[in-house]
Amino acid sequence: MIDENNPFEYVLILGILPLLMGTRNLLTSLLVTLVAVLITIIISVINQYFIKKYLEGKSRWLVLIAMALGLSYSSRLIIFSNFPKIINSSGIHITLLGVVPLVYMGCLEKLQNKDFLENIFIFIVFMFTTALFRELLGQGTFLGTKIIPPGSPPLAIMAKPAGAYITLSLLWLLIKVVYRKAEDINQKISKKESE
Amino acid sequence: MTDSAVLFWESVLTKNIVLVYFLGILLVVVEANNLKESLRKGFKFTVALLSASLLGLIIVISSGLEIGFLSLWIYLISSLIAVYFLQQSGELQDEWLGLPKMILILPIMMGLPLIVESRGLDISDMIFVVAGSSIGFYLSFIIIAAMKEKILKTDANIIKEHGPSLLMAIGILSLIILAFVFI
């Protein structure tokens, strides 16, 4: 289904849940990204220096899941005291960040440290791009400030769940096309060099 | 229609757990491969989802716990029990991109009771919502499996990139179910 060598596609599929549910507007995406990235880094460090040494197989994953859930629930409580409106609309999704595949990315054996940081950066870019697109088109605002002139209604569908699916599918298609083009160019260059 | 019937149909359609709440989307995209196989596979997942959610909710309600930290762990444990039985039946056994496949089902199994709990319903209405959401999940599972099967058979190059095409089709499906808002 996905090209594992394409890091963009890899991050998109691992983080599909936060990318769909946390991109209704920029502020929500900022908080969801922050929580997801922090949990990913903490879980990765704990796994690398403690868990990996003592546990293996299923038990290792169960401990990691329990830890990630504890962290996501704590984040929910912290966000609730500062941004209650966001918790009302996305609270359950923030709690569930603890069981999103993306947060276990750093625990995968084959992933190098450099790739891990690169993937986190890609995830941040994806979150903000999708949220910016959806907030601008769906609500006509930027960080809550109206920027579309009065009289031109926003494209309400983009603020709805369907808008999240459509935006993400377009982003995915763009990634595939650009990545393939870049690969073709690289192949041509290496061919020319060998000639 | 009675209130309970409205809650039930709402959970199947306009508040569909996959198409509107996004929970279980990764499970559906990864596991639903063709229509024939998904009828059986989807049924197993639906029964597991229904049992795990009801078990978790019954324990939380009967123990008198407030919404909070402890209920989260009860939902995790009930989900893991359901995952165990699913694995015994031959599902979710191998790995997906280096991760155990059980991670794919946890968001929906834990998310459904959390959603139901947050709505502050009474027990009978909770059962209607859980049943409606489980049926909504099954319908989404088989419809998406059918769409995936069709997409894989196409000759058009752009549609062959079936990840984006499938997501676009799910988006349109999510739009269609909003038409049932009159319920």
Side-chain angles (χ1 to χ4, degrees):
Chain A
M1 164 135 187
I2 64 156
D3 176 7
E4 281 182 53
N5 298 320
N6 181 344
F8 299 97
E9 226 179 326
Y10 183 73
V11 172
L12 191 143
I13 198 81
L14 281 184
I16 196 165
L17 189 61
L19 278 166
L20 286 168
M21 58 80 177
T23 51
R24 201 164 172 228
N25 54 54
L26 273 169
L27 185 61
T28 309
S29 79
L30 185 77
L31 291 170
V32 171
T33 310
L34 189 72
V35 173
V37 169
L38 277 176
I39 297 175
T40 310
I41 293 170
I42 294 170
I43 289 294
S44 164
V45 171
I46 292 175
N47 175 62
Q48 204 157 349
Y49 294 103
F50 303 103
I51 311 270
K52 212 173 159 184
K53 287 178 186 169
Y54 305 107
L55 295 168
E56 273 181 4
K58 262 187 188 173
S59 49
R60 179 170 77 104
W61 287 109
L62 289 178
V63 172
L64 289 171
I65 289 170
M67 281 183 169
L69 265 177
L71 287 169
S72 61
Y73 190 78
S74 313
S75 315
R76 180 195 162 129
L77 293 180
I78 294 166
I79 294 171
F80 181 68
S81 57
N82 298 301
F83 303 95
K85 266 189 183 174
I86 286 180
I87 289 298
N88 286 339
S89 61
S90 307
I92 289 164
H93 287 125
I94 291 175
T95 310
L96 292 174
L97 279 176
V99 281
V100 166
L102 182 98
V103 301
Y104 306 103
M105 191 171 62
C107 309
L108 300 174
E109 302 295 333
K110 58 181 179 182
L111 205 72
Q112 304 295 318
N113 280 345
K114 186 183 149 264
D115 296 338
F116 174 64
L117 293 174
E118 192 184 282
N119 287 354
I120 283 183
F121 179 72
I122 292 171
F123 173 69
I124 294 170
V125 172
F126 278 178
M127 282 294 288
F128 292 143
T129 314
T130 316
L132 181 71
F133 195 69
R134 284 187 71 198
E135 189 179 341
L136 272 178
L137 290 180
Q139 296 164 46
T141 58
F142 177 77
L143 280 170
T145 316
K146 199 100 185 147
I147 57 163
I148 286 184
S152 39
L155 198 60
I157 176 192
M158 298 312 279
K160 301 214 179 304
Y165 284 115
I166 292 167
T167 312
L168 212 60
S169 69
L170 293 174
L171 185 70
W172 196 346
L173 192 63
L174 187 75
I175 288 164
K176 273 190 172 277
V177 172
V178 172
Y179 193 78
R180 192 169 295 165
K181 287 269 178 214
E183 267 190 339
D184 287 348
I185 292 168
N186 278 344
Q187 271 179 0
K188 277 179 189 171
I189 291 170
S190 54
K191 245 185 187 181
K192 272 186 183 175
E193 278 175 355
S194 62
E195 280 170 9
Chain B
M1 258 199 288
T2 61
D3 284 352
S4 303
V6 171
L7 281 171
F8 176 80
W9 286 111
E10 217 178 52
S11 309
V12 176
L13 299 164
T14 51
K15 288 187 178 167
N16 186 290
I17 193 103
V18 179
L19 301 171
V20 175
Y21 284 100
F22 312 116
L23 300 176
I25 186 67
L26 200 53
L27 175 79
V28 177
V29 169
V30 173
E31 288 288 303
N33 290 319
N34 59 64
L35 186 58
K36 204 176 169 185
E37 189 196 39
S38 71
L39 287 169
R40 180 186 51 80
K41 211 180 226 187
F43 182 72
K44 282 185 191 176
F45 290 146
T46 306
V47 172
L49 174 66
L50 185 74
S51 339
S53 306
L54 286 178
L55 177 69
L57 283 167
I58 288 167
I59 296 172
V60 168
I61 292 165
S62 58
S63 62
L65 290 168
E66 297 276 318
I67 297 172
F69 203 56
L70 275 175
S71 57
L72 188 69
W73 299 111
I74 291 169
Y75 298 144
L76 175 64
I77 292 165
S78 59
S79 304
L80 291 175
I81 294 170
V83 167
Y84 171 78
F85 283 109
L86 271 176
Q87 286 178 333
Q88 291 300 310
S89 72
E91 302 299 334
L92 304 174
Q93 282 180 334
D94 42 349
E95 288 191 339
W96 173 78
L97 298 179
L99 290 162
K101 266 192 176 173
M102 70 168 177
I103 283 176
L104 299 177
I105 204 168
L106 286 181
I108 188 168
M109 273 196 178
M110 294 186 65
L112 179 57
L114 281 170
I115 289 169
V116 175
E117 198 187 67
S118 69
R119 288 173 73 177
L121 303 166
D122 60 43
I123 297 176
S124 62
D125 286 345
M126 277 183 178
I127 295 170
F128 275 104
V129 174
V130 170
S133 299
S134 304
I135 292 169
F137 167 76
Y138 186 59
L139 288 176
S140 311
F141 195 88
I142 53 176
I143 293 171
I144 292 169
M147 290 194 308
K148 198 170 165 183
E149 198 178 352
K150 274 278 176 202
I151 287 169
L152 285 169
K153 281 180 185 166
T154 184
D155 289 333
N157 267 342
I158 194 141
I159 299 175
K160 259 188 178 170
E161 303 289 2
H162 72 276
S165 315
L166 184 64
L167 219 54
M168 179 66 84
I170 296 171
I172 294 166
L173 192 63
S174 168
L175 207 56
I176 292 168
I177 59 154
L178 285 182
F180 291 95
V181 78
F182 60 84
I183 286 171

